[in-house]
Amino acid sequence: LYVMDCCVLMLIIRYLVIMLTVLCAEGWAYTISAAAKDAQQANALAPVVIVASLLFGGFFIAVEQIPLGLRWLRYLSFLQYAFSALMINEFDDRDLCSGSCLDKCEPNSFCPETGREVLDAYNIDVDEVSLLR
């Protein structure tokens, strides 16, 4: 019964994070359209904001690979918060390896045993992001 409750809670959190991310994207779209002089200018500016949010969101480029002068842009990326929340929801306090999985791991590949190792690999600090702790 506990496993079922846990999975249902994870599903609800995942749904809420995705809905909040959609609302943030809509907010950015409304802000850009309000700031632009016409629809053509808004259509030119919107992809710049979305691509910047994608690049600095932490999924495509690791934080260490971003130049020092541009690392602050990740805090403006709404996708960074969504990605961190979804990763914590999926991997925090999770055991990924049940005994023999490390034997199947190829040399020089990433084979995490715990979810915390996955979060560390993506530089996601659970205490910094989580509201429930």
Side-chain angles (χ1 to χ4, degrees):
L1 185 64
Y2 171 74
V3 174
M4 183 65 173
D5 292 340
C6 176
C7 294
V8 169
L9 180 62
M10 287 176 62
L11 182 67
I12 291 170
I13 290 172
R14 183 180 306 137
Y15 177 76
L16 288 174
V17 169
I18 291 171
M19 289 305 298
L20 289 173
T21 304
V22 169
L23 290 174
C24 286
E26 288 177 2
W28 271 108
Y30 286 137
T31 302
I32 291 168
S33 64
K37 293 180 181 178
D38 56 6
Q40 186 177 9
Q41 188 179 21
N43 285 335
L45 189 57
V48 174
V49 173
I50 297 300
V51 168
S53 189
L54 281 170
L55 289 177
F56 295 108
F59 182 72
F60 293 111
I61 301 174
V63 176
E64 298 85 26
Q65 295 175 344
I66 299 173
L68 285 174
L70 298 176
R71 286 188 188 176
W72 62 272
L73 288 172
R74 74 185 186 116
Y75 296 109
L76 297 178
S77 170
F78 65 93
L79 293 174
Q80 184 254 341
Y81 297 103
F83 178 65
S84 296
L86 290 173
M87 289 288 285
I88 290 170
N89 186 48
E90 185 67 30
F91 291 109
D92 192 33
D93 297 328
R94 174 85 51 104
D95 184 22
L96 301 176
C97 187
S98 59
S100 64
C101 69
L102 291 179
D103 297 335
K104 300 174 186 173
C105 189
E106 296 181 16
N108 299 326
S109 62
F110 179 62
C111 296
E113 294 182 40
T114 65
R116 190 58 71 127
E117 291 178 22
V118 175
L119 295 175
D120 289 342
Y122 282 95
N123 290 325
I124 296 173
D125 185 12
V126 177
D127 297 326
E128 179 182 308
V129 178
S130 180
L131 296 175
L132 301 176
R133 294 192 183 257

